[in-house]
Amino acid sequence: MSGNQFDVVIVGAGFAGLYMLHRVLATGRTARVLEQASDVGGTWYWNRYPGARCDAESLAYSYSFSSDLEQEWTWSERYAQQPEILAYARHVADRFDLRQHIDFDSRVASADWDEALGSWVVKTGHNRMFRASVCIMATGCLSVPRRPDIKGLEDFSGHFYQASQWPTEPVNFKDQRVGLIGTGSSGIQAVPVIASEAAELTVFQRTPNFSVPAQNKVLDADWVDAFKARYSEHRENHRQGVGSGFGDLAVLPQAGPMDPVLFESLTADQARDILEAAWERGGARFMGAIGDTLMNPVANAFAQNFVHQKIKDIVDDPEIAAALCPSNHPIGTRRICVDSDYYATYNLPHVRLVNLLKDPIIQITEHGVELQSEHVALDTLVIATGFDAMTGALLSMNITGSKGLTLAEAWSEGPKTYLGLMSCGFPNLFMITGPGSPSVLSNMIVSIEQHVDFVMSCLEFMVDHQHQRVEPDPKSQSGWMEHVQEVANSTLFPQGGSWYLGANVPGKPRVFMPYAAGVGPYRLACDAVAEADFRGFEFA
Ligand code: N01
């Protein structure tokens, strides 16, 4: 048993788990990481579907904690593809000698707080047991895939793939009649790539999503050198910006810094010019080009119309273009997608869009998809139907805190946290990018580093003051959750009906989970808490 006793157990070896491990080991503590996959990388290990690419720019979506690492690693494209990001995660694990502290193929089945010993007992599926006074959930926000409740899904006898559980071996679409269900970020990235190989591609779309072009490019070496020469300045901007940590300084060589203005100060022509420039610049920062797009319904409607017009300009068939234009949510209130040639793919003769709102799926059959109007024969079926986001992984682990309280009970009406970092009744259990923090609304690596740094400061504070136990006080937690909802309600986000709200999972409480005020204000709030001796946390 003593071999399985550590100061800290970390669940997950994605970007959060790796950096957490690195920081914990650097203080001389012992730590073990439990990871269900066979390698590091988290979301970038699982999501190997064709076209998988980051929607944050490479030089911003990378660790800032080591200037040597940031100088020595070379990103090839403006938006890195999944294999390159996975290679980066592997490089980090090797460079900082982390692998020896990680148990792979080790899915956590339960975590129980032992009040008497003041430690967590974490068990894996293979019934291995680990004990640590501190347990850190670095389990990712989009790590529990969702299978749609479509009749007959198990009956399909052709090749079947789920985007977020893609096999490690190559998948061949040549000569295949491929069907794809799901048009969120994953489906939208996969469609052009599958279409480039398949004999036929049929996309089954229930709800269209807004997508903006990535304008992806191979990075220019001189520009990268110039960027790296000012890396610390860029990083500071990512950390402090009121935006989402993607950076307000231009990451693309030819684009100038964005200087957001409010919609009401613009004429329609000026607003259109700004959106046009943002479209040409590419990427998710389209949403920040006019500063109040996510708060002002008029500004939002203007941006919606702009993108609708773009879709109509790109897609030849007016009926298909109309079906691709989202109309049931304000733009950006569901995660804006970032694509390469998505809309233009529907001009290809072998690509077909089925509008499920007009012609719903009755069932999946052995040989294809039966719609209300016809049977579509398929050799391969791909589903890209999303995740049980933000709480899915945490609630799947049977976490039991003090006095026998389970996390499922504590969160039965939706997640409850203080700062997205801890939850009352679960002592010494930290979450990295948990619900109630900017997490999925931000550049995840910026938010991961900030959370890990906060946790480390908290652990050092505990050592300095000889505390053994920490958890939020209930009043601070409820105050923070009210604040998270208040901020969300000052935006258009709650109108999105998205996975941010749990709306994609039947029966899941509808609570807006991420903190929408931006990484800069959130960091200030956390810093103020830390400076005030971790106000709002109770120590014992
Ligand atoms: O999942 P989604 P995703 N019948 O939930 C459809 C991140 N990400 O994996 O809206 C038919 O967005 C569903 O339709 P509807 C990113 O944060 C990042 O694509 O429920 N369709 C929807 O179209 C993203 O937001 C990157 O009507 C069904 C789709 O499945 C998040 O992951 C890349 C259905 C699910 O879309 C999730 O994206 C990829 C059914 N029964 C992902 N059930 C980058 O970094 C569901 N759908 C670029």
Side-chain angles (χ1 to χ4, degrees):
M1 174 61 210
S2 63
N4 285 349
Q5 175 105 35
F6 298 91
D7 295 323
V8 179
V9 161
I10 299 164
V11 185
F15 281 106
L18 290 179
Y19 179 46
M20 191 77 242
L21 175 63
H22 174 66
R23 288 293 313 272
V24 167
L25 293 174
T27 60
R29 291 174 171 86
T30 57
R32 199 78 200 156
V33 174
L34 304 175
E35 166 57 58
Q36 66 173 325
S38 306
D39 201 352
V40 299
T43 194
W44 299 106
Y45 174 89
W46 296 103
N47 287 269
R48 311 160 178 259
Y49 59 85
R53 192 186 279 287
C54 193
D55 62 1
E57 284 157 274
S58 309
L59 281 106
Y61 189 84
S62 51
Y63 288 121
S64 72
F65 71 83
S66 159
S67 56
D68 288 346
L69 172 68
E70 68 185 7
Q71 292 299 328
E72 76 199 13
W73 183 265
T74 304
W75 295 104
S76 61
E77 294 178 79
R78 180 185 180 193
Y79 295 98
Q81 295 202 51
Q82 174 272 335
E84 194 170 7
I85 305 174
L86 184 57
Y88 175 74
R90 287 176 170 152
H91 171 74
V92 169
D94 294 334
R95 191 190 188 291
F96 296 97
D97 205 10
L98 302 176
R99 284 182 190 275
Q100 57 175 308
H101 305 281
I102 305 174
D103 281 351
F104 294 107
D105 302 307
S106 298
R107 186 185 161 76
V108 169
S110 66
D112 295 272
W113 174 249
D114 180 333
E115 192 74 59
L117 290 178
S119 63
W120 283 94
V121 178
V122 181
K123 288 188 187 148
T124 68
H126 305 307
N127 231 1
R128 293 183 64 209
M129 190 166 101
F130 299 81
R131 202 178 258 283
S133 59
V134 173
C135 180
I136 296 173
M137 294 297 176
T139 42
C141 298
L142 295 159
S143 42
V144 176
R146 232 199 107 238
R147 279 266 162 123
D149 188 15
I150 303 178
K151 192 175 157 206
L153 198 59
E154 314 303 325
D155 297 340
F156 185 66
S157 63
H159 306 290
F160 177 79
Y161 305 103
Q162 180 150 10
S164 47
Q165 296 192 311
W166 205 261
T168 46
E169 60 274 11
V171 172
N172 188 2
F173 295 107
K174 198 163 175 290
D175 303 326
Q176 298 277 300
R177 295 165 301 172
V178 181
L180 181 143
I181 299 174
T183 49
S185 299
S186 307
I188 281 176
Q189 286 187 330
V191 160
V193 182
I194 296 176
S196 71
E197 290 176 29
E200 287 171 21
L201 172 63
T202 305
V203 180
F204 300 92
Q205 171 194 272
R206 190 164 64 181
T207 311
N209 266 299
F210 286 100
S211 188
V212 295
Q215 312 286 15
N216 186 44
K217 306 256 182 322
V218 170
L219 287 170
D220 172 77
D222 290 340
W223 177 80
V224 170
D225 287 347
F227 190 96
K228 284 186 171 179
R230 291 173 54 203
Y231 226 144
S232 56
E233 191 185 331
H234 290 293
R235 296 294 198 187
E236 205 42 36
N237 181 267
H238 299 160
R239 290 184 197 115
Q240 306 298 348
V242 288
S244 327
F246 293 97
D248 301 328
L249 295 177
V251 177
L252 194 68
Q254 54 271 49
M258 289 208 328
D259 189 12
V261 283
L262 296 185
F263 184 73
E264 64 181 12
S265 67
L266 301 167
T267 65
D269 281 348
Q270 287 170 329
R272 206 169 293 109
D273 288 349
I274 288 174
L275 293 182
E276 189 65 48
W279 185 271
E280 287 309 315
R281 184 190 287 115
R285 288 189 304 148
F286 177 86
M287 287 312 305
I290 295 175
D292 51 349
T293 306
L294 279 165
M295 298 203 284
N296 173 353
V298 182
N300 194 286
F302 191 89
Q304 287 182 52
N305 288 335
F306 177 88
V307 177
H308 286 172
Q309 193 53 51
K310 285 287 180 197
I311 296 170
K312 288 171 186 161
D313 292 347
I314 297 168
V315 178
D316 296 338
D317 182 325
E319 203 180 323
I320 297 175
L324 287 166
C325 287
S327 59
N328 76 336
H329 63 278
I331 185 169
T333 57
R334 292 179 174 205
R335 171 77 168 216
I336 189 94
C337 304
V338 177
D339 72 272
S340 296
D341 298 327
Y342 175 64
Y343 293 120
T345 301
Y346 290 100
N347 294 333
L348 299 173
H350 67 293
V351 177
R352 176 182 174 201
L353 181 76
V354 170
N355 182 352
L356 298 179
L357 298 177
K358 287 193 172 159
D359 196 0
I361 295 175
I362 304 301
Q363 62 179 342
I364 309 291
T365 67
E366 199 181 338
H367 300 295
V369 174
E370 188 184 326
L371 300 169
Q372 197 165 58
S373 70
E374 63 173 303
H375 183 265
V376 181
L378 300 172
D379 305 304
T380 297
L381 179 60
V382 176
I383 62 166
T385 44
F387 301 87
D388 182 355
M390 303 203 71
T391 55
L394 292 163
L395 292 176
S396 72
M397 272 182 294
N398 301 312
I399 299 173
T400 306
S402 53
K403 301 185 189 119
L405 178 73
T406 67
L407 194 67
E409 287 161 355
W411 289 10
S412 61
E413 292 166 2
K416 293 187 169 66
T417 71
Y418 181 44
L419 299 170
L421 278 155
M422 295 194 93
S423 191
C424 287
F426 300 86
N428 298 5
L429 184 94
F430 292 92
M431 291 163 269
I432 305 301
T433 66
S437 71
S439 63
V440 292
L441 293 180
S442 69
N443 176 339
M444 285 301 281
I445 299 194
V446 171
S447 289
I448 283 168
E449 288 192 328
Q450 188 244 336
H451 264 191
V452 169
D453 294 346
F454 185 95
V455 171
M456 290 311 300
S457 310
C458 185
L459 295 183
E460 292 311 308
F461 179 86
M462 288 170 73
V463 171
D464 291 347
H465 294 80
Q466 297 182 336
H467 297 312
Q468 245 108 70
R469 174 187 164 124
V470 57
E471 68 176 294
D473 80 63
K475 227 171 124 200
S476 301
Q477 176 168 292
S478 56
W480 180 254
M481 291 322 289
E482 274 168 32
H483 175 58
V484 170
Q485 294 313 309
E486 195 178 69
V487 171
N489 290 337
S490 70
T491 72
L492 303 175
F493 276 120
Q495 296 177 30
S498 69
W499 57 259
Y500 295 146
L501 270 166
N504 65 331
V505 178
K508 190 165 171 170
R510 299 289 171 98
V511 174
F512 191 80
M513 294 181 281
Y515 179 54
V519 295
Y522 175 75
R523 181 181 294 267
L524 288 177
C526 288
D527 288 351
V529 164
E531 276 156 28
D533 288 348
F534 292 86
R535 182 182 57 218
F537 291 96
E538 284 172 347
F539 294 92

